[in-house]
Amino acid sequence: MLAASHNPRPASLPSRPQISFSLVIANKLHPAILLTSIALLAIFIPFATSLDIAPPDSIDIINNNNNNNNRDGLKMHTSEPRTLETLVESVDCRTDEINLTLDVKPREHASDTATTINCQSWIELSIPEDVNTTVEIPFVTPNQFPDNGPPSLLMTINGQYSGDGGVQMDTGSTGITIGKGTWLEWFNGDWSEAVKYERGWKFLSSSKKLYSGHWVPTTLIFHGRAADGTRIDLLKAVVPVLVFDTYYICPKFTNDQGSVCAAPTSQQTGNITGLYMGVGFGREQDGMVMCTPDKNPLLNVYEVNGQNVAGPNNPNKYHLGYIVRANSLIWGLTSANVNRFRWMSLQKQPNATDYRDWAMATLQVSINDGKFRNGSILADTGIPQMYLSSPDVPKPIPPYYKINLKIPDVQGSLGGYVVTAKRVGKNATADSSMLGTAPTYVGATNTAGIVSGPGGGIYERVFVNTGSRFWNGFEAAFDAVGGHWGVMQLSSATSKLS
């Protein structure tokens, strides 16, 4: 996010049924046996079977935003146990294949037992071929993002083009936030009309910024460019945008304060300027209680490429969701654009009344080779640094420490990498085991003991905001209908560790 927000409640792994498989590996020394084993493995892997299980939830294909949705299933990828004659040093849980390129170690004692490696299963979305409404929206600043800041999109807001610099897009928050001065001077706003709408707010916990204003229903247009450089309309949506006339620095904000900070250290009012767009999910916690899916521009689209996708009996079928990449945003999931992703289930937000209202994705994180703890992950486009919260953060912060990230769990069936945080005096930097994904630095908070968050909860928070350089190594996708988050590791993002 443009000002990072941490998750204020303990995250747990999805409560839906999860399927695991095991690779059972024994080891012997003789080379002939090794070669035979590899040959058998080459025959065996193609015939590895998947369990035929009913999915925990089926996937809705949104057809014209009506309630007569088609139903489509999920496919769970698992494998039956495999017994080999060699001890393999590592297994890639993301490929269902055993890595035989590493060293093979002989059994040292006759009594040595087989090694069991458990890999978390993953989900494949299966979307019908006739669901094909999709569009790619290029970023204005492909050379800026992911390394040095958020991407921007060409947009028209309330009938006024925002300019060739575009509007910054942030996955760390939800909803468009516009200063009153920007609204009046640039976007043809009418303040006497704005104040008729609901008073609202948005709080960003890392920066302690509280925006207070009114949620004003607004029409948005996402643009691309034709070959001759002229603007073309790609998506149209209608959402409430937060037009704020008051801005606080509020270190002790709690949600019961609402739109007014009880003890601000700084405050501005009047014709404040500012503009950015949040398209993240699961952001209601931690001070964004009003940032529900109805505020997300990408979840409230009514026109795509000039074709209406709303209303009864509309032939333009689409699956509601989007993919974030290093150089563009893809709206609308299809069988073609999801086939390389591996997916995890998301939990519903507590007390959710909107079918699109899903909680954050989960991961497990270990610090300095300690225990892996369940937590939440925010793959943020808005900032180049990483934010880490855990009761295992070293105190005091040492010159360097390791942060091992596994998505969604210790087996890393969707993805994972290791960040090494470094600090020399006031100079903080970081390295990563995956090329390109090292954040500029790591801001860490030890949450051991009792920690109170913006919602008034008490918890030992485990949370990772990856920072924007995550997108040098991965693409990620959000299925807003069925509640899934998909990850695809880029082939160009190779490991630097042996």
XYZ file of all heavy atoms in Angstrom, residues 257-348:
704
model
N -13.386 5.317 17.059
C -13.269 6.767 16.866
C -13.929 7.219 15.563
O -14.267 8.390 15.404
C -11.795 7.189 16.855
C -11.071 6.953 18.169
C -9.601 7.346 18.090
O -9.277 8.413 17.568
N -8.720 6.501 18.589
N -14.061 6.296 14.636
C -14.691 6.630 13.371
C -13.890 7.625 12.566
O -12.673 7.500 12.413
N -14.561 8.643 12.074
C -13.934 9.579 11.146
C -13.176 10.703 11.829
O -12.603 11.557 11.155
C -15.007 10.188 10.236
O -15.961 10.901 11.002
N -13.146 10.707 13.164
C -12.484 11.782 13.897
C -11.411 11.181 14.801
O -11.669 10.262 15.572
C -13.489 12.579 14.753
C -12.772 13.676 15.535
C -14.579 13.183 13.865
N -10.194 11.708 14.703
C -9.095 11.245 15.546
C -9.187 11.912 16.915
O -9.274 13.145 17.014
C -7.756 11.565 14.897
S -6.333 11.071 15.888
N -9.143 11.089 17.983
C -9.287 11.629 19.334
C -8.055 12.398 19.783
O -8.171 13.376 20.528
C -9.584 10.484 20.306
N -6.867 11.961 19.350
C -5.639 12.619 19.822
C -4.643 12.736 18.680
O -3.609 12.057 18.663
C -5.045 11.839 20.991
N -4.904 13.594 17.694
C -3.999 13.723 16.553
C -2.718 14.453 16.919
O -2.714 15.335 17.779
C -4.817 14.531 15.546
C -5.720 15.369 16.400
C -6.064 14.511 17.575
N -1.627 14.081 16.256
C -0.380 14.836 16.384
C -0.241 15.855 15.258
O 0.607 16.731 15.316
C 0.825 13.887 16.368
O 0.801 13.131 15.149
C 0.782 12.928 17.556
N -1.080 15.706 14.223
C -1.096 16.657 13.113
C -2.469 16.599 12.465
O -3.121 15.542 12.468
C -0.011 16.312 12.094
O -0.048 17.186 10.981
N -2.925 17.710 11.913
C -4.240 17.750 11.306
C -4.291 18.817 10.217
O -3.734 19.902 10.382
C -5.313 18.056 12.364
C -6.726 18.149 11.834
C -7.747 18.401 12.927
O -7.449 18.237 14.118
N -8.956 18.788 12.548
N -4.937 18.467 9.093
C -5.178 19.429 8.016
C -6.653 19.360 7.629
O -7.253 18.278 7.643
C -4.324 19.118 6.786
C -2.828 19.193 7.001
C -2.061 18.863 5.737
O -2.444 19.270 4.645
N -0.981 18.115 5.870
N -7.214 20.487 7.276
C -8.592 20.524 6.807
C -8.697 21.466 5.608
O -7.786 22.256 5.346
C -9.547 21.022 7.911
O -9.139 22.336 8.329
C -9.536 20.090 9.114
N -9.820 21.347 4.894
C -10.052 22.253 3.777
C -9.793 21.605 2.437
O -10.021 20.403 2.247
N -9.279 22.384 1.504
C -9.074 21.927 0.130
C -7.753 21.172 -0.010
O -6.812 21.606 -0.669
C -9.119 23.108 -0.834
C -10.509 23.689 -0.956
O -11.483 23.102 -0.467
N -10.614 24.842 -1.597
N -7.694 20.005 0.626
C -6.495 19.164 0.601
C -6.412 18.477 -0.759
O -7.433 18.103 -1.348
C -6.556 18.124 1.723
C -6.874 18.796 3.063
C -5.254 17.350 1.823
C -7.206 17.818 4.166
N -5.198 18.314 -1.262
C -5.011 17.617 -2.534
C -4.521 16.200 -2.295
O -3.967 15.874 -1.251
C -4.002 18.362 -3.425
O -2.751 18.464 -2.741
C -4.512 19.758 -3.762
N -4.711 15.348 -3.299
C -4.236 13.968 -3.209
C -5.139 13.042 -4.001
O -6.332 13.308 -4.189
N -4.563 11.938 -4.491
C -5.319 10.969 -5.287
C -4.555 9.652 -5.362
O -3.376 9.635 -5.687
C -5.535 11.507 -6.707
C -6.066 10.517 -7.756
C -7.461 10.047 -7.398
C -6.042 11.167 -9.142
N -5.226 8.552 -5.023
C -4.710 7.224 -5.335
C -5.857 6.224 -5.316
O -6.935 6.494 -4.782
C -3.577 6.797 -4.393
C -4.009 6.327 -3.023
C -4.228 4.984 -2.762
C -4.178 7.231 -1.980
C -4.612 4.551 -1.514
C -4.551 6.809 -0.722
C -4.773 5.452 -0.494
O -5.167 5.025 0.751
N -5.627 5.051 -5.912
C -6.668 4.037 -6.049
C -6.229 2.737 -5.407
O -5.187 2.172 -5.745
C -6.972 3.788 -7.533
C -7.984 2.665 -7.760
S -8.359 2.417 -9.517
C -6.743 1.955 -10.158
N -7.035 2.217 -4.481
C -6.778 0.926 -3.860
C -7.635 -0.161 -4.485
O -8.844 0.016 -4.665
N -7.007 -1.290 -4.826
C -7.732 -2.412 -5.427
C -7.482 -3.706 -4.660
O -7.690 -4.796 -5.174
C -7.342 -2.596 -6.915
C -7.696 -1.362 -7.729
C -5.856 -2.940 -7.064
N -7.045 -3.585 -3.398
C -6.755 -4.768 -2.606
C -8.010 -5.408 -2.041
O -9.085 -4.813 -2.009
N -7.854 -6.672 -1.559
C -8.957 -7.366 -0.908
C -8.567 -7.675 0.536
O -7.394 -7.702 0.898
C -9.320 -8.655 -1.658
C -8.226 -9.702 -1.655
C -8.158 -10.677 -0.670
C -7.257 -9.704 -2.657
C -7.149 -11.629 -0.680
C -6.242 -10.656 -2.673
C -6.190 -11.621 -1.668
N -9.569 -7.898 1.370
C -9.312 -8.240 2.762
C -8.757 -7.097 3.579
O -8.065 -7.315 4.571
N -9.056 -5.866 3.223
C -8.422 -4.726 3.869
C -9.303 -4.057 4.923
O -8.918 -3.029 5.468
C -8.014 -3.683 2.810
C -7.182 -4.222 1.657
C -5.949 -4.972 2.115
N -5.055 -4.144 2.867
C -4.494 -4.506 4.012
N -4.767 -5.670 4.567
N -3.664 -3.698 4.632
N -10.492 -4.635 5.210
C -11.362 -3.992 6.194
C -10.737 -3.940 7.581
O -10.987 -3.020 8.347
C -12.714 -4.713 6.304
C -13.601 -4.529 5.100
C -13.657 -5.768 4.247
O -12.571 -6.207 3.782
O -14.740 -6.300 4.048
N -9.979 -4.986 7.914
C -9.342 -4.969 9.222
C -8.286 -3.875 9.272
O -7.875 -3.339 8.261
C -8.705 -6.329 9.545
C -7.659 -6.821 8.573
C -8.206 -7.806 7.573
O -9.162 -7.503 6.895
N -7.583 -8.970 7.481
N -7.865 -3.537 10.443
C -6.783 -2.578 10.612
C -7.156 -1.164 10.176
O -6.363 -0.446 9.587
C -5.550 -3.045 9.835
C -4.251 -2.584 10.498
O -4.330 -2.027 11.604
O -3.186 -2.777 9.908
N -8.381 -0.761 10.485
C -8.758 0.618 10.238
C -9.443 0.889 8.926
O -9.844 2.016 8.663
N -9.597 -0.124 8.073
C -10.268 0.090 6.791
C -11.638 -0.588 6.799
O -12.035 -1.245 5.832
C -9.412 -0.442 5.644
C -8.084 0.260 5.498
S -7.252 -0.193 3.964
C -5.562 0.242 4.358
N -12.364 -0.462 7.890
C -13.628 -1.180 8.040
C -14.658 -0.768 6.986
O -15.584 -1.523 6.700
C -14.213 -0.966 9.450
C -13.320 -1.606 10.500
C -14.395 0.516 9.756
N -14.510 0.401 6.406
C -15.456 0.855 5.383
C -15.009 0.487 3.965
O -15.724 0.748 3.002
C -15.647 2.371 5.486
C -16.091 2.854 6.850
S -16.593 4.590 6.877
C -18.274 4.448 6.286
N -13.829 -0.127 3.856
C -13.269 -0.439 2.534
C -13.711 -1.827 2.086
O -12.913 -2.762 1.953
C -11.752 -0.313 2.566
S -11.198 1.378 2.859
N -15.000 -1.963 1.854
C -15.637 -3.208 1.460
C -15.616 -3.351 -0.065
O -15.270 -2.413 -0.784
C -17.074 -3.211 2.000
O -17.651 -1.913 1.765
C -17.086 -3.483 3.497
N -15.984 -4.540 -0.593
C -15.862 -4.758 -2.040
C -16.635 -3.779 -2.909
O -16.266 -3.561 -4.074
C -16.398 -6.187 -2.208
C -16.093 -6.853 -0.918
C -16.311 -5.794 0.119
N -17.700 -3.167 -2.375
C -18.442 -2.201 -3.184
C -17.626 -0.947 -3.482
O -17.990 -0.160 -4.356
C -19.739 -1.809 -2.475
C -19.488 -1.150 -1.138
O -18.864 -1.792 -0.277
O -19.902 0.012 -0.954
N -16.478 -0.767 -2.777
C -15.598 0.384 -3.022
C -14.480 0.062 -4.014
O -13.747 0.951 -4.430
C -14.963 0.854 -1.704
C -15.921 1.047 -0.529
C -16.929 2.114 -0.772
C -17.610 2.600 0.514
N -18.073 1.567 1.433
N -14.308 -1.211 -4.347
C -13.208 -1.634 -5.210
C -13.588 -1.427 -6.677
O -14.504 -2.082 -7.182
C -12.877 -3.109 -4.957
C -11.612 -3.560 -5.663
O -11.224 -3.027 -6.690
N -10.963 -4.572 -5.113
N -12.894 -0.542 -7.401
C -13.257 -0.275 -8.797
C -13.241 -1.517 -9.678
O -14.035 -1.612 -10.625
C -12.195 0.729 -9.256
C -11.721 1.381 -8.003
C -11.776 0.316 -6.947
N -12.359 -2.470 -9.395
C -12.244 -3.654 -10.252
C -13.341 -4.676 -10.001
O -13.485 -5.624 -10.774
C -10.870 -4.308 -10.059
C -9.673 -3.438 -10.438
C -8.375 -4.189 -10.210
C -9.760 -2.951 -11.882
N -14.102 -4.499 -8.932
C -15.184 -5.440 -8.635
C -16.558 -4.880 -8.977
O -17.581 -5.503 -8.674
C -15.146 -5.834 -7.152
C -13.877 -6.522 -6.660
C -14.051 -6.991 -5.221
C -13.485 -7.684 -7.561
N -16.592 -3.696 -9.596
C -17.869 -3.051 -9.893
C -17.893 -2.511 -11.320
O -18.328 -1.393 -11.583
C -18.122 -1.939 -8.876
C -18.290 -2.482 -7.467
O -19.372 -2.906 -7.089
N -17.206 -2.498 -6.698
N -17.435 -3.344 -12.243
C -17.347 -2.982 -13.663
C -18.673 -3.297 -14.351
O -19.275 -4.345 -14.118
C -16.196 -3.767 -14.326
C -16.212 -3.588 -15.837
C -14.859 -3.324 -13.734
N -19.137 -2.391 -15.211
C -20.362 -2.652 -15.967
C -20.137 -2.651 -17.479
O -21.039 -3.050 -18.231
C -21.448 -1.632 -15.607
C -21.185 -0.215 -16.058
C -21.574 0.221 -17.324
C -20.548 0.697 -15.217
C -21.339 1.524 -17.743
C -20.315 2.000 -15.621
C -20.709 2.415 -16.884
O -20.470 3.700 -17.294
N -18.948 -2.218 -17.939
C -18.678 -2.211 -19.378
C -17.226 -2.579 -19.634
O -16.321 -2.084 -18.955
C -18.983 -0.829 -19.972
C -18.834 -0.768 -21.484
C -19.220 0.593 -22.044
O -20.411 0.945 -21.928
O -18.336 1.291 -22.561
N -16.997 -3.456 -20.616
C -15.655 -3.909 -20.984
C -15.490 -3.791 -22.498
O -16.285 -4.357 -23.254
C -15.423 -5.377 -20.549
C -14.008 -5.821 -20.931
C -15.670 -5.551 -19.067
N -14.478 -3.035 -22.912
C -14.221 -2.851 -24.345
C -15.463 -2.407 -25.103
O -15.741 -2.857 -26.227
C -13.664 -4.140 -24.966
C -12.219 -4.386 -24.574
O -11.452 -3.453 -24.365
N -11.847 -5.662 -24.475
N -16.250 -1.539 -24.484
C -17.443 -1.033 -25.135
C -18.645 -1.949 -25.080
O -19.714 -1.601 -25.572
N -18.495 -3.133 -24.469
C -19.579 -4.094 -24.376
C -20.130 -4.130 -22.952
O -19.381 -4.276 -21.991
C -19.101 -5.498 -24.769
C -18.563 -5.600 -26.185
C -19.625 -5.327 -27.227
O -20.744 -5.831 -27.138
N -19.285 -4.516 -28.231
N -21.443 -4.002 -22.843
C -22.063 -4.050 -21.526
C -21.984 -5.464 -20.962
O -22.226 -6.436 -21.670
C -23.527 -3.612 -21.629
C -24.170 -3.483 -20.259
O -24.584 -4.466 -19.674
N -24.259 -2.252 -19.779
N -21.617 -5.586 -19.692
C -21.539 -6.895 -19.046
C -22.496 -6.967 -17.855
O -22.391 -7.873 -17.028
C -20.096 -7.207 -18.579
C -19.182 -7.371 -19.770
C -19.584 -6.141 -17.623
N -23.412 -6.015 -17.768
C -24.387 -6.002 -16.680
C -25.785 -6.172 -17.252
O -26.018 -5.956 -18.443
C -24.293 -4.689 -15.890
N -26.703 -6.548 -16.393
C -28.081 -6.687 -16.819
C -28.449 -8.121 -17.146
O -27.580 -8.958 -17.418
N -29.732 -8.441 -17.111
C -30.183 -9.820 -17.356
C -29.952 -10.260 -18.794
O -30.011 -9.466 -19.734
C -31.681 -9.756 -17.021
C -32.058 -8.316 -17.245
C -30.846 -7.526 -16.828
N -29.686 -11.562 -18.957
C -29.538 -12.193 -20.278
C -28.443 -11.576 -21.138
O -28.505 -11.603 -22.364
C -30.869 -12.143 -21.043
C -31.989 -12.793 -20.265
O -31.806 -13.867 -19.689
N -33.147 -12.139 -20.224
N -27.432 -11.021 -20.496
C -26.323 -10.448 -21.252
C -25.404 -11.566 -21.732
O -25.005 -12.432 -20.946
C -25.557 -9.468 -20.362
C -24.621 -8.575 -21.160
O -23.710 -9.058 -21.812
N -24.863 -7.276 -21.105
N -25.027 -11.610 -23.009
C -24.199 -12.713 -23.520
C -22.724 -12.599 -23.153
O -21.956 -13.537 -23.396
C -24.380 -12.602 -25.036
C -24.623 -11.145 -25.264
C -25.429 -10.678 -24.076
N -22.290 -11.466 -22.617
C -20.867 -11.253 -22.339
C -20.504 -11.824 -20.967
O -20.485 -11.126 -19.965
C -20.542 -9.757 -22.402
C -20.886 -9.167 -23.752
O -20.409 -9.643 -24.770
N -21.733 -8.150 -23.753
N -20.209 -13.102 -20.937
C -19.927 -13.780 -19.678
C -18.529 -13.422 -19.180
O -17.589 -13.313 -19.965
C -20.030 -15.288 -19.852
C -21.417 -15.784 -20.208
C -21.426 -17.300 -20.340
C -22.814 -17.809 -20.721
N -22.809 -19.295 -20.872
N -18.406 -13.287 -17.861
C -17.096 -13.019 -17.289
C -16.986 -13.657 -15.913
O -17.999 -13.923 -15.263
C -16.821 -11.522 -17.194
C -17.697 -10.754 -16.213
C -17.250 -10.510 -14.919
C -18.936 -10.268 -16.589
C -18.039 -9.803 -14.029
C -19.716 -9.555 -15.706
C -19.276 -9.325 -14.426
O -20.052 -8.631 -13.546
N -15.783 -13.938 -15.512
C -15.491 -14.455 -14.177
C -14.795 -13.342 -13.409
O -13.710 -12.904 -13.791
C -14.599 -15.696 -14.257
C -14.440 -16.401 -12.947
N -15.118 -17.561 -12.653
C -13.717 -16.100 -11.843
C -14.796 -17.951 -11.428
N -13.945 -17.066 -10.926
N -15.401 -12.892 -12.339
C -14.946 -11.702 -11.642
C -13.639 -11.961 -10.894
O -13.577 -12.764 -9.962
C -16.018 -11.224 -10.666
C -15.797 -9.850 -10.038
C -15.718 -8.770 -11.115
C -16.922 -9.528 -9.052
N -12.611 -11.251 -11.317
C -11.299 -11.370 -10.696
C -10.279 -10.642 -11.541
O -10.597 -10.119 -12.615
N -9.039 -10.604 -11.062
C -8.011 -9.887 -11.806
C -6.638 -10.410 -11.456
O -6.424 -11.048 -10.421
C -8.087 -8.380 -11.556
C -8.251 -7.966 -10.115
C -7.148 -7.723 -9.296
C -9.521 -7.801 -9.562
C -7.308 -7.339 -7.976
C -9.683 -7.416 -8.246
C -8.577 -7.185 -7.455
O -8.734 -6.813 -6.148
N -5.702 -10.149 -12.364
C -4.317 -10.604 -12.249
C -3.413 -9.374 -12.247
O -3.572 -8.480 -13.092
C -3.934 -11.519 -13.428
C -4.838 -12.763 -13.457
C -2.461 -11.926 -13.364
C -4.703 -13.573 -14.748
N -2.478 -9.333 -11.309
C -1.497 -8.246 -11.261
C -0.158 -8.790 -11.736
O 0.311 -9.830 -11.261
C -1.372 -7.671 -9.836
C -0.310 -6.562 -9.803
C -2.723 -7.125 -9.357
N 0.458 -8.077 -12.676
C 1.755 -8.457 -13.227
C 2.684 -7.252 -13.148
O 2.275 -6.159 -12.758
C 1.609 -8.921 -14.678
C 0.478 -9.910 -14.875
C 0.533 -10.574 -16.223
N 0.467 -9.633 -17.331
C 0.560 -9.993 -18.603
N 0.755 -11.260 -18.935
N 0.482 -9.102 -19.565
N 3.922 -7.444 -13.552
C 4.898 -6.364 -13.453
C 4.612 -5.223 -14.415
O 4.997 -4.083 -14.153
C 6.311 -6.909 -13.707
N 3.932 -5.489 -15.525
C 3.734 -4.434 -16.525
C 2.277 -4.147 -16.850
O 1.991 -3.268 -17.661
C 4.482 -4.774 -17.820
C 4.037 -6.094 -18.408
O 3.163 -6.772 -17.863
N 4.634 -6.467 -19.514
N 1.349 -4.883 -16.239
C -0.053 -4.645 -16.577
C -0.974 -5.305 -15.557
O -0.554 -6.129 -14.745
C -0.372 -5.187 -17.980
O -0.254 -6.602 -18.014
N -2.226 -4.934 -15.674
C -3.307 -5.530 -14.905
C -4.237 -6.237 -15.880
O -4.571 -5.678 -16.938
C -4.067 -4.449 -14.145
C -5.364 -4.848 -13.457
C -5.061 -5.568 -12.152
C -6.236 -3.626 -13.194
N -4.664 -7.446 -15.559
C -5.613 -8.171 -16.394
C -6.916 -8.312 -15.618
O -6.927 -8.872 -14.516
C -5.087 -9.554 -16.808
C -3.836 -9.389 -17.681
C -6.146 -10.348 -17.547
C -3.184 -10.686 -18.069
N -8.005 -7.798 -16.182
C -9.321 -7.912 -15.556
C -10.112 -9.018 -16.242
O -10.134 -9.112 -17.467
C -10.093 -6.599 -15.690
C -11.431 -6.644 -14.997
C -11.708 -6.280 -13.722
C -12.661 -7.098 -15.559
N -13.037 -6.478 -13.445
C -13.656 -6.983 -14.558
C -13.032 -7.594 -16.810
C -14.984 -7.337 -14.760
C -14.364 -7.964 -17.025
C -15.315 -7.829 -16.010
N -10.757 -9.870 -15.443
C -11.568 -10.955 -15.981
C -10.758 -12.228 -16.113
O -9.784 -12.288 -16.871
N -11.118 -13.266 -15.359
C -10.397 -14.535 -15.389
C -11.013 -15.462 -16.430
O -12.233 -15.587 -16.523
C -10.426 -15.192 -14.015
C -9.889 -14.358 -12.848
C -9.932 -15.160 -11.553
C -8.484 -13.847 -13.131
N -10.144 -16.104 -17.202
C -10.578 -17.061 -18.222
C -9.764 -18.336 -18.078
O -8.748 -18.378 -17.369
C -10.386 -16.494 -19.635
O -8.973 -16.381 -19.901
C -11.042 -15.133 -19.795
N -10.181 -19.386 -18.786
C -9.429 -20.639 -18.728
C -8.012 -20.451 -19.245
O -7.077 -21.122 -18.796
C -10.151 -21.719 -19.539
O -10.286 -21.318 -20.893
N -7.822 -19.522 -20.177
C -6.495 -19.303 -20.748
C -5.577 -18.550 -19.798
O -4.393 -18.882 -19.680
C -6.614 -18.548 -22.072
N -6.086 -17.524 -19.111
C -5.166 -16.714 -18.317
C -4.966 -17.201 -16.887
O -4.160 -16.634 -16.151
C -5.548 -15.230 -18.349
C -6.897 -14.921 -17.714
O -7.353 -15.575 -16.797
N -7.542 -13.880 -18.241
N -5.663 -18.268 -16.467
C -5.441 -18.794 -15.109
C -4.709 -20.128 -15.109
O -4.379 -20.647 -14.045
C -6.769 -18.962 -14.346
C -7.520 -17.664 -14.266
C -7.628 -20.074 -14.920
N -4.423 -20.684 -16.286
C -3.973 -22.076 -16.306
C -2.568 -22.291 -15.761
O -2.184 -23.432 -15.524
C -4.106 -22.678 -17.715
C -3.224 -21.969 -18.733
O -2.448 -21.084 -18.396
N -3.363 -22.349 -20.000
N -1.807 -21.240 -15.549
C -0.464 -21.420 -14.990
C -0.390 -21.051 -13.506
O 0.675 -21.114 -12.902
C 0.539 -20.585 -15.787
C 0.708 -21.047 -17.227
C 1.664 -20.140 -17.984
N 2.983 -20.127 -17.390
C 3.915 -19.204 -17.633
N 3.628 -18.189 -18.443
N 5.098 -19.262 -17.052
N -1.513 -20.687 -12.923
C -1.539 -20.307 -11.515
C -1.875 -21.511 -10.642
O -2.599 -22.417 -11.059
C -2.580 -19.209 -11.268
C -2.157 -17.858 -11.762
C -2.427 -17.456 -13.066
C -1.486 -16.977 -10.929
C -2.045 -16.207 -13.524
C -1.086 -15.727 -11.391
C -1.372 -15.349 -12.690
N -1.357 -21.475 -9.421
C -1.765 -22.406 -8.375
C -2.458 -21.601 -7.294
O -2.008 -20.521 -6.944
C -0.565 -23.155 -7.836
C 0.060 -23.991 -8.943
C 1.057 -24.978 -8.424
N 1.385 -25.915 -9.480
C 2.036 -27.041 -9.296
N 2.437 -27.364 -8.089
N 2.285 -27.838 -10.304
N -3.532 -22.148 -6.772
C -4.452 -21.367 -5.968
C -4.601 -21.909 -4.564
O -4.506 -23.111 -4.336
C -5.828 -21.330 -6.639
C -5.815 -20.777 -8.023
C -5.427 -21.427 -9.170
C -6.177 -19.450 -8.428
N -5.541 -20.594 -10.253
C -6.003 -19.378 -9.832
C -6.658 -18.340 -7.744
C -6.280 -18.223 -10.554
C -6.943 -17.189 -8.465
C -6.748 -17.144 -9.855
N -4.871 -21.018 -3.634
C -5.221 -21.376 -2.271
C -6.589 -20.806 -1.942
O -7.037 -19.834 -2.552
C -4.204 -20.816 -1.273
C -4.119 -19.299 -1.270
S -3.016 -18.630 0.003
C -4.014 -18.932 1.447
N -7.292 -21.435 -0.993
C -8.600 -20.960 -0.568
C -8.454 -19.806 0.404
O -7.547 -19.790 1.236
C -9.384 -22.088 0.103
O -9.671 -23.112 -0.813
N -9.354 -18.846 0.296
C -9.416 -17.726 1.230
C -10.599 -17.928 2.173
O -11.585 -18.573 1.823
C -9.596 -16.404 0.480
C -8.520 -16.053 -0.545
C -8.927 -14.794 -1.321
C -7.165 -15.856 0.123
N -10.491 -17.367 3.373
C -11.610 -17.371 4.292
C -12.500 -16.162 4.034
O -12.043 -15.127 3.555
C -11.109 -17.309 5.738
C -10.364 -18.549 6.191
C -9.900 -18.420 7.628
O -9.516 -17.340 8.068
N -9.926 -19.505 8.354
N -13.773 -16.297 4.371
C -14.658 -15.143 4.327
C -14.270 -14.147 5.414
O -13.777 -14.523 6.479
C -16.110 -15.581 4.557
C -16.806 -16.124 3.314
C -17.144 -15.005 2.344
C -18.008 -15.520 1.193
N -18.288 -14.462 0.223
